[in-house]
Each structure stands twice: as structure tokens, then as C-alpha cells.
Amino acid sequence: AIGDADHGVNMRRGFTAVLAKLAELDAKTVGEVFLTTGNTLISSVGGATGPLYGSAFRAIGNALPEPAAEPKQLLTALTEGLAAIQRLGAAVPGDKTIVDAYAPAVAAFDRQLSQGADLASAAGSAAAAAEDGMRATTPLQARKGRASYLGPRSVGHQDAGATSTALIFRALAEVVGP
């Protein structure tokens, strides 16, 4: 309805390619996994989504050069991923984009770690915040991305990028959760 009908197909194609690449990867660091993911998304996902998510995953990978990552290191990496998306897409919260789910997820992750929570709790809170941010895009008028061309007609529709971002943060929570 707002020009993102191919988003899910593109994301599926991209992450299917990521799974195939990761199956072949003998990663020595956490960062290598994220770098491979980012490079694969850039080469396999069409439109702006591939470069946006690819840049985020590459920035995360560059921030995690060790074999394992502590929660604070992951927070730094996630923050770098958000910055990469914002540099490339020039979006801010309220633009009805990926950023509307990603920014609150990082803030929730940070808040939880600052309160002494473990990784699973922080990731769970990040996923919940991303989902809240995703839902909050519905009444917004898109100011960036393909949906912005529709102006007021974009109101009443949940943003596809925010939705896929919420799914990614939910996947993180499930992977590190209890």
C-alpha cells in the first residue's frame, strides 16, 4: 500500500543468502559473522534496504573484532550500526523508517545494561522497544524512503523497514535469551 510490497521478498532473499554464506564461513571473530552478513545483504537485497542493513551489519562487525563480545561491546556495535543507517539514509526518529524501531531498541538495550541487566534481558527489552517503535510508525506520515512519495497516503500503514528491524531485534533476543 505504501510502495514497500517487495520488502519482505527482498529480506527473505537476503537472509537466505546470508545463511548460505555463514554455513561456509569459518569465522574467527564475532565481527566476521556480522561483516559477512552485511556484505551479503548489500549484494543480494534490492533497493535501499540492502545498503542500509548491509552498512549497519558491517559497522557492527567492525566494532566487534574479538572472538567473543561482552554486552557493552555489543551495545557499542549496535550503536555504530544505527549511526551507519542514519549516515546513509539521513533518517531520524519520526521519519517512518528503520530508525523508528532501531533507535528505541538501542536505547532500551543501553538502559537495561546501565541498570545491571544481563545480555538476555537487555536484548529482550531491545526487541520489545523495537516492536513498540515499529507499531508507532502506523500513524506517521513518511518523510524518507519510498513511502514518502505518497505523502499523507502513507498514514495508517506500518513501515516495512521498522517491521523488519523489529524482527531482527526479536531474533537477537531469541538467540541470546534463556
Side-chain angles (χ1 to χ4, degrees), residues 107-119:
F109 195 95
D110 184 18
R111 197 169 35 257
Q112 287 294 305
L113 291 183
S114 296
Q115 294 172 2
D118 63 6
L119 178 59

Side-chain angles (χ1 to χ4, degrees), residues 32-97:
E32 286 179 64
V33 173
F34 285 102
L35 287 167
T36 299
T37 298
N39 290 333
T40 305
L41 292 174
I42 287 171
S43 67
S44 63
V45 177
T49 301
L52 288 168
Y53 279 122
S55 295
F57 277 95
R58 287 170 40 162
I60 292 166
N62 284 328
L64 298 171
E66 303 296 325
E70 296 298 319
K72 286 282 190 188
Q73 293 169 310
L74 182 56
L75 170 61
T76 298
L78 291 171
T79 302
E80 290 296 321
L82 175 59
I85 287 171
Q86 289 185 290
R87 270 192 305 277
L88 188 59
V92 297
D95 282 342
K96 194 172 185 135
T97 69

Side-chain angles (χ1 to χ4, degrees), residues 71-174:
K72 286 282 190 188
Q73 293 169 310
L74 182 56
L75 170 61
T76 298
L78 291 171
T79 302
E80 290 296 321
L82 175 59
I85 287 171
Q86 289 185 290
R87 270 192 305 277
L88 188 59
V92 297
D95 282 342
K96 194 172 185 135
T97 69
I98 291 168
V99 173
D100 290 298
Y102 200 131
V106 171
F109 195 95
D110 184 18
R111 197 169 35 257
Q112 287 294 305
L113 291 183
S114 296
Q115 294 172 2
D118 63 6
L119 178 59
S121 295
S125 289
E131 290 160 357
D132 288 345
M134 165 194 78
R135 284 187 291 276
T137 65
T138 301
L140 298 176
Q141 180 174 322
R143 294 189 300 235
K144 296 285 182 185
R146 201 179 305 168
S148 68
Y149 303 142
L150 299 177
R153 289 186 298 158
S154 66
V155 173
H157 300 280
Q158 187 171 289
D159 182 68
T163 302
S164 58
T165 299
L167 291 170
I168 290 167
F169 275 96
R170 179 53 60 197
L172 172 65
E174 289 173 4

